[in-house]
Amino acid sequence: MIANVSYGPDGERNLLDLYLPRRAKNPAPLVLCVHGGGWKGGNKEAFAWFAKALVREGFAAASMTYRFWPQWPYPAALDDAQRAVRWLRHHAGEYHIDPERVGAIGSSAGGHLCSFLGLTDTRDNSDPELARYSSRVQCVVDCYGPVDLEGMMSSASAPIVRGFMGDKPLETAREQYRTASPFHHVSPNPPPFLIAHGT
């Protein structure tokens, strides 16, 4: 395990822990792990147990931090998740990772961000070093991640969603809520998704 690897410019909010298997002949497939916490809490250690289990099966894993609201509302967390994927592809040779076999798993807010990694292209392509790398992943595991932020505004989670959206009321920012919802980015032939929900 290699702890606290910097993948972006925002200090402790742009760190990831890398879990690497013993070197095999072929580069390892990679799973990016994204923790939950209402987009304003949680930490990358939440997926340490899962990352270690992946390594035992021959996968590489990376568990990341990202920027939180209220200091950084949407789309900061999404930009960080997309940057992490692209940074890992850029450094794939260094860590013996297969850049063509990248998946993502996330819980709650992390599931929301991982859904974007499967459904959308890079939003912020301003870093020339990463410009040629895709942020799309080949498969997604979404554990109870929000997918329709507009619909969630009629639920008990409305204050969290509104905070994530920069405290903008739904009535005046409906299109932004839809843009921030993976549901509105589903198109034909998405990558495989495993979606886990409960009541």
Side-chain angles (χ1 to χ4, degrees):
M1 195 267 270
I2 307 172
N4 297 320
V5 179
S6 175
Y7 70 85
D10 288 293
E12 66 178 10
R13 300 270 36 96
N14 284 168
L15 297 176
L16 52 83
D17 293 340
L18 276 170
Y19 299 81
L20 303 173
R22 288 190 177 90
R23 288 217 170 198
K25 180 180 178 182
N26 297 318
L30 170 73
V31 179
L32 178 68
C33 305
V34 188
H35 69 79
W39 304 283
K40 67 170 183 174
N43 59 68
K44 56 187 169 55
E45 287 75 29
F47 269 105
W49 67 274
F50 188 73
K52 291 173 185 175
L54 287 169
V55 167
R56 288 194 294 270
E57 299 298 326
F59 290 83
S63 191
M64 65 174 288
T65 62
Y66 51 91
R67 287 173 287 172
F68 295 155
W69 69 272
Q71 184 175 358
W72 293 290
Y74 176 84
L78 170 61
D79 290 344
D80 288 350
Q82 291 184 329
R83 181 182 180 88
V85 172
R86 301 169 84 208
W87 186 94
L88 287 160
R89 285 193 163 120
H90 178 56
H91 292 273
E94 180 181 347
Y95 296 113
H96 202 56
I97 291 167
D98 186 344
E100 302 303 318
R101 293 192 296 162
V102 179
I105 182 172
S107 58
S108 193
H112 167 266
L113 298 174
C114 288
S115 293
F116 268 101
L117 297 178
L119 296 172
T120 64
D121 292 317
T122 305
R123 197 199 71 82
D124 178 6
N125 199 27
S126 59
D127 188 333
E129 185 177 69
L130 303 179
R132 67 188 182 96
Y133 299 99
S134 172
S135 61
R136 284 211 187 212
V137 296
Q138 280 66 58
C139 60
V140 175
V141 179
D142 168 18
C143 301
Y144 49 91
V147 293
D148 180 7
L149 302 192
E150 181 184 12
M152 288 182 71
M153 291 305 288
S154 60
S155 76
S157 298
I160 297 171
V161 174
R162 180 167 169 155
F164 176 60
M165 294 302 297
D167 206 31
K168 297 171 185 169
L170 177 63
E171 296 71 25
T172 60
R174 193 173 300 272
E175 191 54 41
Q176 288 172 286
Y177 277 76
R178 290 177 177 173
T179 299
S181 300
F183 175 81
H184 290 284
H185 297 277
V186 177
S187 59
N189 302 312
F193 268 69
L194 172 63
I195 301 173
H197 271 277
T199 58

